[in-house]
Amino acid sequence: IIWRLPMEVGDATLVAVRYLFWFLGFLTLLACGAGPRTPQASPVPSVSGSVIGPKHAVFDTRDSCEEIDIPDAPARAFRDDRGIVHLISTHFVARAMIGPNLDGVKHDCRIIYRSPKDPDPSHFEDNNWLYSFYTEDGRRVAALVHSEYDGEEIPGMCATPEDTSNCWWNTVTFAESVNAGYSFNVPPPPHNLVAAMPYRYVVGNRTGARGYNTPSNILKIGTYYYALINDWPYRAQKYGSCLIRTTDVFDPGSWRAWDGRNFTIRFADPYRDSIAKPEEHVCEPVLAGGVETLVQNIRHG
């Protein structure tokens, strides 16, 4: 079976002059939550896409509100309870583009979230990117957050300043808006944590970047909400994209990861939990590589 998912774009193409975010969703959920099945040999799915229509710029960084006001995450949008579109593709100081539709959004200099730059790695609140959003009423908005602990920026927390990747430690956390996306707040640690590897930040790490990062969009199927998170290989954690799900997007601790057969993996807090077997708290990747978009093929399940 060859999957072909055409990318339908036109006047609503989301383009920043210096950054173009095209993320093809190429993971199909087939009967999620079903019991084990007999493995069957099948061709590896492939995907193709093409751009239709002219590019349409909605933001030029020459019009940014400050130096850090640049796109640094996938462009994702939602409608609020008044039908207004919020398009967010931002840095660790977050702003939105707002308007009646995707063609009409304008960059707004009001800050909707500012990273705390907390130097304590156990708080998971150094530099945070609002990465994906979900709302059903347009008023209350859940967000999955790409959270970086950038040790090289914190005195005494990076043993290899010449190789800052060793000091890059990531988790996935949670933020919430109760005013239709005009501001986002984070629960106090550790209640902000969605996913962390069962290992603490190591000042003298020499293995490169590690941790869970760059969550995909949130996709609801039935009573479950699904997302993908990415990781770098580290100890018991294999490299790849992991599928996670929950029945409540507003409960950060409720997400469970795929273990190869079902969603049984509970992520552990490396600073507060007693972790006897770290291998029981890491996810089983569903594919090798990184993915930032999740879609469902309705025709096949």
Side-chain angles (χ1 to χ4, degrees):
I1 299 173
I2 297 178
W3 304 98
R4 297 189 182 278
L5 304 179
M7 182 172 285
E8 298 296 334
V9 295
D11 289 342
T13 304
L14 310 180
V15 179
V17 169
R18 300 180 187 175
Y19 297 83
L20 177 62
F21 295 101
W22 290 114
F23 293 91
L24 295 176
F26 57 87
L27 179 69
T28 302
L29 294 176
L30 298 179
C32 288
R37 297 182 177 184
T38 302
Q40 297 180 358
S42 60
V44 177
S46 64
V47 71
S48 63
S50 60
V51 176
I52 302 173
K55 297 178 181 180
H56 177 69
V58 295
F59 175 52
D60 188 325
T61 54
R62 290 174 294 186
D63 300 324
S64 61
C65 306
E66 59 175 318
E67 186 177 1
I68 201 64
D69 183 23
I70 57 175
D72 195 43
R76 295 192 171 119
F78 59 87
R79 286 189 182 274
D80 67 22
D81 57 340
R82 295 185 297 160
I84 296 173
V85 171
H86 298 240
L87 172 61
I88 301 174
S89 174
T90 188
H91 217 289
F92 54 72
V93 175
R95 295 174 171 88
M97 288 169 268
I98 299 172
N101 50 51
L102 288 175
D103 282 333
V105 294
K106 302 296 182 184
H107 194 61
D108 192 325
C109 281
R110 289 177 292 181
I111 295 172
I112 61 174
Y113 176 79
R114 182 185 295 276
S115 293
K117 289 190 170 292
D118 187 333
D120 187 337
S122 72
H123 293 169
F124 321 110
E125 285 197 307
D126 184 15
N127 288 322
N128 294 343
W129 282 251
L130 301 180
Y131 229 74
S132 55
F133 309 89
Y134 194 91
T135 181
E136 294 187 346
D137 61 9
R139 190 71 187 171
R140 192 181 183 199
V141 185
L144 289 177
V145 181
H146 165 90
S147 298
E148 290 186 7
Y149 187 76
D150 297 313
E152 75 278 4
E153 298 179 356
I154 302 168
M157 295 304 287
C158 182
T160 61
E162 71 284 355
D163 185 358
T164 59
S165 65
N166 291 329
C167 309
W168 187 4
W169 185 70
N170 280 26
T171 55
V172 175
T173 58
F174 170 79
E176 177 183 2
S177 174
V178 294
N179 62 357
Y182 287 94
S183 64
F184 283 83
N185 297 305
V186 174
H191 305 294
N192 56 335
L193 183 63
V194 171
M197 287 187 187
Y199 310 105
R200 297 183 178 187
Y201 176 77
V202 178
V203 174
N205 174 60
R206 297 294 196 280
T207 63
R210 61 223 187 272
Y212 298 121
N213 59 87
T214 56
S216 75
N217 57 298
I218 300 169
L219 177 65
K220 186 178 183 182
I221 302 176
T223 59
Y224 288 101
Y225 303 85
Y226 295 84
L228 288 165
I229 59 175
N230 299 291
D231 70 72
W232 293 286
Y234 185 69
R235 297 187 183 179
Q237 179 61 62
K238 302 173 186 175
Y239 173 60
S241 296
C242 293
L243 188 63
I244 61 175
R245 80 175 186 185
T246 182
T247 56
D248 185 357
V249 290
F250 293 98
D251 181 359
S254 67
W255 290 89
R256 296 293 181 268
W258 181 252
D259 66 3
R261 299 183 67 181
N262 212 331
F263 292 88
T264 64
I265 301 300
R266 181 186 67 82
F267 294 107
D269 182 337
Y271 289 92
R272 296 167 182 85
D273 293 340
S274 176
I275 305 172
K277 297 181 178 180
E279 64 274 11
E280 295 181 353
H281 301 282
V282 295
C283 53
E284 181 68 26
V286 294
L287 80 162
V291 182
E292 293 185 2
T293 299
L294 179 64
V295 298
Q296 180 189 22
N297 189 312
I298 302 297
R299 181 183 301 175
H300 294 274

